[in-house]
Amino acid sequence: AAGVIQSPRHLIKEKRETATLKCYPIPRHDTVYWYQQGPGQDPQFLISFYEKMQSDKGSIPDRFSAQQFSDYHSELNMSSLELGDSALYFCASSLRRLAGEHEQYFGPGTRLTVT
Amino acid sequence: EDKVVQSPLSLVVHEGDTVTLNCSYEVTNFRSLLWYKQEKKAPTFLFMLTSSGIEKKSGRLSSILDKKELFSILNITATQTGDSAVYLCAVKNNQGGKLIFGQGTELSVKP
């Protein structure tokens, strides 16, 4: 079965640079969530999109922005990178338009290292 | 503020042992509770619980939710070394469906 695809899997950037992370949800899933997981920490919710509209916002810095496109893939844009942005960034997708509860499936993550 | 607390934070057992992992929560407008297994990569979905008292089972793993006491347990019987991982509990509320994670329980199963 197709899973959530994230690219790139690894990314090394310097301070003050910009990074773009991409997420391709499971086919037919309409909702994308972004999470940030620092070393030894639990995933923290950043932002989510449902049907290409932002549906919820968590602890996402103003330096970050994201969007969901017409094909449902999503991109997380990170500018003015700081050392503290080094983390695993997970994308998860779910199918929200149908009634009932739906689990979120996680992608493999992008490991961002800021030097 | 919404909160999910897991215990213990770490656990070391031997193969064949049975373990119980705990998850308690304080969440406004609870919708569901999910368990994930994370082995140095993406969290892998295990269970989603929405109703109290109904046990979900998959092989040696099982889980149950108590919405009155606001907790869930994840049981693993006859543990194997391959069960070694961090087990994450997460709760979903009405606010857009985001997951609020606990700190995780790091389980280590020794041969």
Side-chain angles (χ1 to χ4, degrees), chain A residues 9-100:
Chain A
R9 295 291 305 278
H10 301 273
L11 192 56
I12 300 175
K13 291 284 185 179
E14 294 187 357
K15 279 196 309 186
R16 292 179 288 278
E17 284 193 318
T18 297
T20 296
L21 310 186
K22 297 186 179 183
C23 168
Y24 296 85
I26 291 171
R28 294 190 299 280
H29 278 195
D30 52 20
T31 307
V32 167
Y33 306 82
W34 286 97
Y35 295 87
Q36 177 192 58
Q37 187 174 30
Q41 298 180 1
D42 54 282
Q44 294 292 316
F45 171 73
L46 293 177
I47 195 166
S48 63
F49 293 88
Y50 168 60
E51 286 291 344
K52 293 150 276 184
M53 301 284 290
Q54 181 182 308
S55 72
D56 197 6
K57 198 170 179 180
S59 49
I60 183 169
D62 292 341
R63 300 176 288 107
F64 294 5
S65 65
Q67 56 182 323
Q68 186 179 31
F69 295 85
S70 57
D71 64 351
Y72 293 98
H73 94 272
S74 177
E75 294 183 5
L76 177 66
N77 297 295
M78 310 159 72
S79 62
S80 303
L81 287 169
E82 301 173 358
L83 295 178
D85 296 329
S86 296
L88 254 178
Y89 289 83
F90 288 113
C91 169
S93 76
S94 71
L95 181 61
R96 204 166 131 187
R97 76 173 74 95
L98 298 180

Side-chain angles (χ1 to χ4, degrees), chain B residues 56-102:
Chain B
K56 293 262 180 121
K57 199 168 168 62
S58 175
R60 295 176 295 102
L61 278 67
S62 63
S63 183
I64 197 160
L65 173 68
D66 186 328
K67 288 167 75 173
K68 184 179 174 189
E69 300 297 330
L70 308 183
F71 79 91
S72 173
I73 59 172
L74 174 69
N75 277 321
I76 309 176
T77 59
T79 51
Q80 302 171 357
T81 54
D83 295 328
S84 296
V86 173
Y87 289 83
L88 293 166
C89 170
V91 173
K92 191 194 295 186
N93 62 14
N94 263 338
Q95 204 178 336
K98 70 183 179 193
L99 295 178
I100 302 150
F101 283 88

